[in-house]
Amino acid sequence: MKLLIIRHGQSEADILNVWEGRADFDLTALGHEQASLMANWVAGNYKIDKIFSSPLKRAQQTADALANSTGASITFDDDLMEWQNGLIAGMLRAEALAKYPPPNIKYPHTAMYGQESDVQFRARAETALSKIINENTEEHTIAIVSHNGLIGRLFHSFICAPLISPVNLCKTGDTGIHEWRITNGMREIIHVNMQHHLAML
């Protein structure tokens, strides 16, 4: 099985300096261009069998571009959405910090301000990845369109890292692509944050 893990393109929140998370912003004009370039590059280098995507607009619009280029169908999955950031969603970062400061001590199982705990966030990534791996075959090439935070948790899930890991394997740029493979049950990371398709921008 080949898994292409793809982040959405630039969203409106990226240029407004707000906490995005579950706030549902559209792609910018640049984000749409990034998504189109990514989709064309993927179509020219892989045969995508299925696309799984977060239903948030920025991911949906990126997945739509990929579906248009590859002909693959999209399944939207709430488990692929970004971290549930509760009351700070859509709020200016400075305002959020003033109104809802992070606690001095935070445990993995605790949450505040209507947010997900670290345990809940990781469990959601585990669920999403488990469904995709176990409901498809090793002959499939699957694209997953999601968000930077959730992609980080998918990385930890894929390599069977501990629930709470101090290792940040990789940040994912706009429409960055990771390629993972599973062969006879063995898991490999082949490429990390590929952005060749953005070279002409």
Side-chain angles (χ1 to χ4, degrees):
M1 177 182 291
K2 291 181 182 177
L3 296 169
L4 297 184
I5 316 299
I6 303 167
R7 187 187 179 192
H8 59 79
Q10 183 192 67
S11 77
E12 293 172 350
D14 295 331
I15 59 178
L16 293 173
N17 198 31
V18 301
W19 280 108
E20 195 163 22
R22 291 295 178 87
D24 205 5
F25 287 87
D26 290 297
L27 293 179
T28 62
L30 174 59
H32 280 288
E33 188 174 2
Q34 291 170 335
S36 178
L37 290 169
M38 174 278 297
N40 290 335
W41 185 86
V42 168
N45 288 276
Y46 299 89
K47 183 185 180 304
I48 302 299
D49 295 298
K50 298 180 183 179
I51 301 168
F52 293 87
S53 176
S54 159
L56 293 174
K57 290 177 184 175
R58 57 198 187 271
Q60 176 189 330
Q61 290 163 3
T62 303
D64 284 343
L66 186 58
N68 289 338
S69 290
T70 63
S73 62
I74 307 172
T75 298
F76 293 103
D77 186 345
D78 288 353
D79 284 332
L80 292 172
M81 289 197 290
E82 185 58 290
W83 177 53
Q84 171 54 273
N85 55 346
L87 297 177
I88 67 172
M91 187 175 289
L92 288 169
R93 290 177 179 271
E95 182 184 4
L97 185 61
K99 285 187 174 181
Y100 305 109
N104 292 328
I105 299 175
K106 182 182 178 185
Y107 300 105
H109 63 284
T110 61
M112 56 197 310
Y113 310 138
Q115 299 165 353
E116 279 182 306
S117 70
D118 291 338
V119 170
Q120 291 169 325
F121 195 21
R122 173 64 183 272
R124 190 157 54 78
E126 292 279 351
T127 299
L129 191 62
S130 179
K131 286 188 293 188
I132 290 169
I133 290 174
N134 290 291
E135 293 175 8
N136 294 281
T137 71
E138 287 200 354
E139 290 71 38
H140 281 124
T141 297
I142 306 292
I144 300 172
V145 181
S146 190
H147 311 267
N148 187 54
L150 195 280
I151 288 171
R153 299 313 188 279
L154 289 174
F155 251 115
H156 286 156
S157 179
F158 186 75
I159 67 169
C160 303
L163 173 64
I164 302 303
S165 174
V167 178
N168 185 0
L169 292 171
C170 180
K171 289 189 176 181
T172 311
D174 293 339
T175 64
I177 304 166
H178 308 280
E179 182 183 343
W180 304 342
R181 292 184 193 172
I182 303 176
T183 307
N184 297 323
M186 295 298 295
R187 299 183 178 194
E188 298 177 278
I189 295 173
I190 306 301
H191 298 294
V192 173
N193 197 31
M194 293 186 290
Q195 290 181 293
H196 316 302
H197 51 278
L198 301 183
M200 65 182 66
L201 288 178

